[in-house]
């Protein structure tokens, strides 16, 4: 049979990344952080001084990305970049590059190659709609923007980075608007997605609710 996929799509800072990793490790499956591929492209664009508006050049960079994922680590051309790709300016550029259809096409095969036995948990914006439309279980993970901004502020402060809640809120609203309103692969729940609102749930509760949904398939 086909290799099962659980997709987790949702807005920035909805907790998708952590939740996807925890669901994957509970099941013993592979995880795909598709946002990291957009962030890695953004980092390579910055490092190589490419014009972000040059769609073909950006797509070409994405095709040639030399990336290695290991648990908790990401390497780009032999350089450890897990920290730097989480920075706000890299995330913002990723979200400005993301509407480029040539870039999205360039990353499609790379994302689908993560579908390996015994299963894959894929997180992003278009996992359930475009990359894995045949996924067995699709989750649309939401949380209100203030809850997400507060979580992001807490993460930054824990890392010793200063954070301003109002700035983060404004950034997050702008990124939500860009991700939702773009015409190419917009952030939208797949018709067959289960909406999970994590605003008032802990990570454990969110993970458990997804595992409960998955166990109904077995
Ligand atoms: O999820 P994360 O914040 O790491 O993603 C960074 C940016 O990459 C998002 O704002 C979004 O614009 C883009 N992205 C995307 N499609 C995905 C994953 C991320 O367009 N599947």
């Amino acid at each position: 049979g086909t290799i099962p996929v659980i997709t987790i799509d949702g807005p920035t800072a909805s907790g998708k990344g952590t939740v996807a990793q925890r669901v994957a490790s509970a099941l013993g499956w592979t995880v795909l952080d598709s946002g990291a591929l957009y962030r890695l492209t953004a980092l390579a664009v910055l490092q190589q001084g490419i014009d972000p508006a040059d769609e073909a050049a950006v797509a070409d960079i994405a095709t040639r990305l030399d990336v290695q994922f290991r648990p908790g680590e990401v390497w780009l051309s032999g350089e450890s970049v897990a920290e730097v790709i989480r920075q706000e300016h890299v995330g913002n550029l990723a979200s400005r590059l993301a509407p480029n259809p040539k870039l999205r096409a360039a990353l499609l095969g790379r994302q689908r190659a993560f579908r390996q036995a015994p299963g894959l948990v894929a997180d992003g914006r278009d996992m359930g709609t475009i990359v894995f439309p045949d996924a067995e279980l699709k989750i649309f993970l939401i949380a209100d923007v203030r809850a997400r901004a507060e979580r992001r502020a807490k993460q930054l402060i824990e890392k010793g980075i200063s954070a301003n809640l109002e700035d983060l809120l404004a950034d997050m609203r702008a990124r939500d608007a860009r991700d939702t309103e773009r015409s190419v692969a917009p952030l939208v729940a797949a018709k067959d997605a289960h909406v999970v609102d994590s605003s008032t749930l802990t990570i454990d509760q969110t993970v458990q609710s997804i595992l409960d949904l998955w166990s109904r398939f077995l």
Side-chain angles (χ1 to χ4, degrees):
T2 58
I3 295 165
V5 181
I6 298 176
T7 59
I8 305 180
D9 290 302
T12 192
S14 58
K16 285 177 297 148
T18 309
V19 168
Q21 265 168 17
R22 297 270 291 269
V23 171
S25 64
L27 297 169
W29 291 8
T30 305
V31 69
L32 165 62
D33 171 4
S34 63
L37 293 173
Y38 289 88
R39 289 170 180 270
L40 287 160
T41 305
L43 182 60
V45 162
L46 290 170
Q47 287 178 341
Q48 297 177 39
I50 303 293
D51 175 4
D54 186 340
E55 295 197 342
V58 171
D60 189 51
I61 291 275
T63 308
R64 293 187 291 103
L65 282 181
D66 171 16
V67 187
Q68 276 182 295
F69 288 97
R70 292 185 214 131
E73 286 182 59
V74 192
W75 297 77
L76 178 64
S77 305
E79 191 193 339
S80 172
V81 296
E83 299 275 307
V84 67
I85 63 166
R86 306 308 332 158
Q87 292 178 5
E88 291 300 304
H89 75 282
V90 178
N92 277 321
L93 180 57
S95 126
R96 287 197 285 119
L97 297 176
N100 173 355
K102 294 190 179 78
L103 167 61
R104 306 199 72 86
L107 292 178
L108 201 55
R110 215 184 255 275
Q111 294 174 92
R112 288 184 177 154
F114 279 80
R115 190 169 194 166
Q116 290 162 11
L120 173 68
V121 180
D123 93 68
R125 302 294 186 289
D126 60 343
M127 297 297 99
T129 51
I130 291 170
V131 181
F132 302 106
D134 63 336
E136 278 69 16
L137 175 62
K138 300 179 184 180
I139 306 294
F140 198 69
L141 187 62
I142 58 170
D144 65 60
V145 70
R146 195 159 279 276
R148 290 185 282 125
E150 280 165 4
R151 283 178 197 163
R152 179 61 56 83
K154 196 162 160 263
Q155 284 170 354
L156 290 171
I157 288 160
E158 278 166 5
K159 287 188 203 153
I161 302 166
S162 69
N164 176 300
L165 192 61
E166 292 311 311
D167 289 349
L168 284 171
L169 262 175
D171 248 37
M172 217 160 268
R173 289 201 174 99
R175 192 167 326 167
D176 283 354
R178 278 201 298 273
D179 288 352
T180 314
E181 289 158 18
R182 71 188 181 205
S183 57
V184 182
L187 173 64
V188 58
K191 284 196 180 64
D192 48 350
H194 297 259
V195 178
V196 175
D197 185 339
S198 74
S199 304
T200 61
L201 297 180
T202 64
I203 289 168
D204 281 339
Q205 291 170 327
T206 310
V207 169
Q208 197 51 54
S209 69
I210 294 170
L211 290 172
D212 287 347
L213 285 167
W214 175 247
S215 68
R216 292 197 214 158
F217 280 81
L218 304 178

